[in-house]
Structures are given as structure tokens and as C-alpha cells.
């Protein structure tokens, strides 16, 4: 039996995913020891777990370096990939939203040349340009996006809102919801052919858990 490799997004998603793998009998004890290792092996079940940056999970899966990935729907929407999205795991729930100062509520779509800052330029462009038919000026940022409207870099942002704490502490509000998000179970297309039985067994067990 060959190893099945699972790519996990470093951080909270990896911890929640690990709990799911443990509950179906996988041994993730090596991962629980807080080390800087990036590869963990479960010899008994012939599984390998690799820790990668959230935005790279789908890349590892698409190219077959990982058979399976646990990744946020945000990154799947931002970079469309050639892979199978199998299960909504129901954790890591949050939403993509247009956020900004409350004064702009209800006015966004009548503002010419609205300036939108985002870590997710494709999602932002799709929402405003395709869904709303509005031309906008997009500014790509890599983090601390809430700062942009505060210092006049943009009018609004398109960003992830989980608890809403970051917005609140920076005097911003959700102006419009774009899309709900959560963690997804994704599979490499060739792996699905070659290891269908083992992968579908995990998929089915995870599906049952998320339905409970
Ligand atoms: C994410 C997101 C928001 C924040 C939302 O940022 O971009 O800034 O979390 O969470 P909340 O609604 O619970 O406050 P992240 O922690 O990834 O940091 P970065 O975007 O600044 O890198």
C-alpha cells in the first residue's frame, strides 16, 4: 500500500482537520508535538500529512504532490484549480464581504471608480464586475487589508469576516455579503482514479460526520 498524502493549511484549519482525521482513526500524534517539522507520518494507516501555506494547498493537490487537501473555499474561489472539491467540512466557517465605513452603506453601486482593496482580487472583480456590472479600481494587498480605507488607499475592502472583531476594532462594517466560506476536502484527479477506494472511504466518513 502506498502513502496517501494530505496537504493541510498551516494554522487553525490544520488543527481542526487533524481532529477530523484522528476521529476516523488516523494517528496524528506526531503533529500534536509542537515542532517545526512540515511532514508527519502515520505508518499504520500509510498516511502522510504535510503542512503548507493556506494559499498553496490547492497547488500541491493539483500537481499531485498531495493526493488530498483541506483548504478554505476562499482560496479555491480565488485561484480556480483543476481538482475535485468533494466535501464541505463545515468548519472554518466565515464569509467574504465588502466592508468599509458605514457612511457608504447603500451607496457602493452608484459610486463611479469605486476603489476596492483586497487579498482576493479575482473574487472582488467577479463580484463587482460580473455580478454587479460595475467597473471598479482594484488594489491588491497581502494583509492587514482593513487599514486601506482608514488611510485613504481605498474606499472599501473585500475580505474575510469571521468574528467581525477586526472590523469593529477599526471602525468598519460589513456593507454587503459576497459569499459564505468554509473548509473543503479536495482531491487530485489522478489520485481519485488510482486510490479511489481509500479516498472515498475517508470522504464518506467525513461526509457522515458533517451531517451529524
Ligand atoms: C483575516 C481577515 C481579516 C480577519 C477577520 O486576516 O483578512 O483581517 O482575519 O477575522 P475576524 O472577523 O475574526 O476579526 P488574517 O488573520 O488572515 O490576517 P491578514 O489578512 O492581516 O494577514
Amino acid at each position: 500500500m502506498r502513502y496517501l498524502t494530505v496537504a493541510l493549511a498551516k494554522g487553525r484549519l490544520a488543527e481542526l482537520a487533524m481532529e477530523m482525521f484522528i476521529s476516523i482513526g488516523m494517528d496524528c500524534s506526531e503533529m500534536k508535538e509542537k515542532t517545526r517539522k512540515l511532514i508527519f507520518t502515520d505508518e499504520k494507516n500509510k498516511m502522510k500529512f504535510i503542512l503548507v501555506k493556506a494559499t498553496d494547498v490547492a497547488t500541491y493537490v493539483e500537481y499531485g504532490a498531495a493526493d488530498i487537501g483541506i483548504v478554505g473555499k476562499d482560496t479555491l474561489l480565488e485561484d480556480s484549480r483543476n481538482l475535485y472539491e468533494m466535501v464541505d467540512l463545515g468548519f472554518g466557517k466565515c464569509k467574504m464581504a465588502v466592508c468599509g465605513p458605514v457612511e457608504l452603506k447603500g451607496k457602493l453601486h452608484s459610486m463611479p471608480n469605486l476603489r476596492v482593496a483586497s487579498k482576493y482580487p479575482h473574487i472582488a472583480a467577479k463580484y463587482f464586475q460580473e455580478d454587479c456590472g460595475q467597473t471598479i479600481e482594484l488594489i491588491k494587498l497581502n494583509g492587514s487589508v482593513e487599514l486601506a480605507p482608514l488611510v485613504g488607499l481605498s474606499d472599501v475592502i473585500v475580505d474575510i469576516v469571521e468574528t467581525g472583531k477586526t472590523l469593529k476594532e477599526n471602525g468598519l462594517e460589513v456593507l454587503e455579503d459576497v459569499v459564505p466560506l468554509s473548509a473543503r476536502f479536495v482531491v487530485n484527479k489522478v489520485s481519485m482514479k488510482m486510490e479511489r477506494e481509500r479516498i472515498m472511504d475517508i470522504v464518506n466518513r467525513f461526509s457522515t460526520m458533517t451531517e451529524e
Side-chain angles (χ1 to χ4, degrees):
M1 192 157 70
R2 78 161 176 94
Y3 286 99
L4 273 188
T5 301
V6 182
L8 301 175
K10 266 192 221 170
R12 215 175 116 67
L13 275 195
E15 282 173 28
L16 293 167
M18 190 174 71
E19 295 305 327
M20 286 193 88
F21 281 100
I22 290 171
S23 68
I24 62 164
M26 304 293 173
D27 176 10
C28 300
S29 50
E30 235 193 335
M31 260 168 86
K32 287 205 157 175
E33 302 158 10
K34 303 269 174 209
T35 66
R36 294 212 169 185
K37 275 178 72 173
L38 299 171
I39 300 189
F40 305 92
T41 310
D42 170 356
E43 290 296 346
K44 192 172 90 201
N45 295 296
K46 284 278 178 273
M47 300 285 293
K48 277 191 200 295
F49 297 91
I50 61 174
L51 288 179
V52 309
K53 205 171 151 70
T55 45
D56 293 335
V57 170
T59 309
Y60 281 82
V61 175
E62 182 178 21
Y63 286 91
D67 304 286
I68 293 166
I70 309 292
V71 63
K73 180 70 177 173
D74 51 322
T75 64
L76 296 175
L77 290 171
E78 183 59 22
D79 310 312
S80 32
R81 297 289 186 170
N82 190 21
L83 41 70
Y84 294 126
E85 185 183 324
M86 305 290 296
V87 190
D88 179 345
L89 295 169
F91 62 81
K93 278 193 181 164
C94 51
K95 66 181 175 185
M96 190 66 69
V98 183
C99 311
V102 70
E103 305 83 70
L104 294 186
K105 201 156 200 161
K107 297 186 186 148
L108 294 186
H109 303 294
S110 53
M111 288 174 68
N113 305 317
L114 183 74
R115 286 206 294 176
V116 181
S118 187
K119 279 201 288 191
Y120 303 91
H122 291 120
I123 295 175
K126 184 188 174 294
Y127 179 69
F128 279 102
Q129 289 165 355
E130 279 180 40
D131 301 351
C132 305
Q134 181 176 0
T135 305
I136 56 162
E137 190 182 333
L138 252 174
I139 301 164
K140 163 86 165 83
L141 288 177
N142 296 300
S144 302
V145 183
E146 290 81 359
L147 198 55
L150 303 183
V151 297
L153 178 62
S154 71
D155 299 305
V156 294
I157 60 173
V158 168
D159 200 20
I160 290 177
V161 181
E162 191 179 357
T163 61
K165 199 160 179 267
T166 314
L167 288 180
K168 192 159 183 258
E169 291 190 1
N170 290 290
L172 303 173
E173 287 195 12
V174 170
L175 305 177
E176 286 172 16
D177 287 354
V178 175
V179 66
L181 304 167
S182 56
R184 305 298 159 100
F185 186 101
V186 297
V187 178
N188 172 270
K189 289 193 166 175
V190 176
S191 305
M192 193 51 144
K193 281 206 186 81
M194 309 300 287
E195 295 289 339
R196 187 175 182 85
E197 206 176 314
R198 285 174 78 197
I199 292 173
M200 284 312 294
D201 178 53
I202 300 173
V203 166
N204 291 334
R205 288 202 275 169
F206 278 3
S207 302
T208 311
M209 280 167 68
T210 58
E211 282 158 15
E212 280 164 5

